[in-house]
Amino acid sequence: MKNDKLKNQYRINDQIRVREVRIVGDNGSTVVPTRDAINMAREQGVDLVEISPNANPPVCRLIDYSKFLYQQKKRQKEMKAKQVKVEVKEIRFGPQTDEHDYQFKLKHAKEFLEEGNKVRAYVFFRGRSILFKEQGEVLLLRFANDLEEVGKVEGMPSLEGKKMFLYLAPKKAGAKKMSQQARDREAAEAEAKEQAKQQKEVEETEAPANGGLFANAKISADALKKLTEEE
């Protein structure tokens, strides 16, 4: 189904029924009658592929259509591979977590953040231990401060029922959680940028007079440290 969708995206050879087309290549571009362009493609043993149907005249390339589709499919895979998939890892504490357990969980949280995942740390209060909620808050602030080199806080510790949560996101550029819809939208935007890039390459081969042919279709670590010291 994906291949059929890609094939139907471009017109080739006799499917191109305009009067004339602009052929672009390594040696520049030229406008010729469509019939002549198709004959040129046949003589070279390739296809006439329409890459910018909305241009005036439409822009085409002389290229093997199978090779062209392979290149397009390869670009789509590369764009998809660049999408960052982020998981949310949980770290659980008790209000009176000992130092050894704290350091063990700190190490794991650092690994999670360095891998590009988010961390949701929380302190769970059982029964009367809710009386130690201030102690749990201090623990989470210390946790955030110890991870300041690899993670950034998305919100101060907040109590929800019997749990106090703290959310950390990786500092590594581009690491963010996206829904499937957002990932699809990003892929579409990336594909649109790729097509715009192709059009720009075409535009650069034209005379300056035709330059207008294609329209260019919280919290800081210092604050956390200060809060921890005050506690």
Side-chain angles (χ1 to χ4, degrees), residues 80-142:
K80 186 176 181 181
K82 290 179 181 178
Q83 296 178 18
V84 181
K85 295 182 180 180
V86 181
E87 295 183 18
V88 179
K89 304 291 188 177
E90 284 195 344
I91 300 291
R92 172 176 169 168
F93 293 103
Q96 296 177 314
T97 299
D98 61 44
E99 185 64 21
H100 180 270
D101 191 31
Y102 175 84
Q103 292 297 332
F104 178 79
K105 292 177 178 179
L106 180 68
K107 177 184 177 182
H108 280 287
K110 184 177 180 181
E111 291 174 353
F112 293 150
L113 291 167
E114 289 176 341
E115 291 170 357
N117 298 301
K118 287 189 175 183
V119 170
R120 180 171 68 175
Y122 69 93
V123 179
F124 181 67
F125 301 97
R126 286 194 180 93
R128 294 177 61 83
S129 66
I130 193 69
L131 297 173
F132 299 99
K133 64 180 182 179
E134 290 81 6
Q135 188 171 336
E137 184 176 5
V138 171
L139 185 151
L140 291 176
L141 288 172
R142 176 193 174 189

Side-chain angles (χ1 to χ4, degrees), residues 23-43:
I23 298 177
V24 296
D26 296 336
N27 298 323
S29 69
T30 181
V31 177
V32 299
T34 303
R35 180 48 54 187
D36 291 349
I38 292 175
N39 289 335
M40 290 170 58
R42 289 174 177 169
E43 290 174 0

Side-chain angles (χ1 to χ4, degrees), residues 12 16 55 80 102 134 184 216:
I12 65 171
I16 305 171
K80 186 176 181 181
Y102 175 84
E134 290 81 6
D184 291 343
N216 291 330

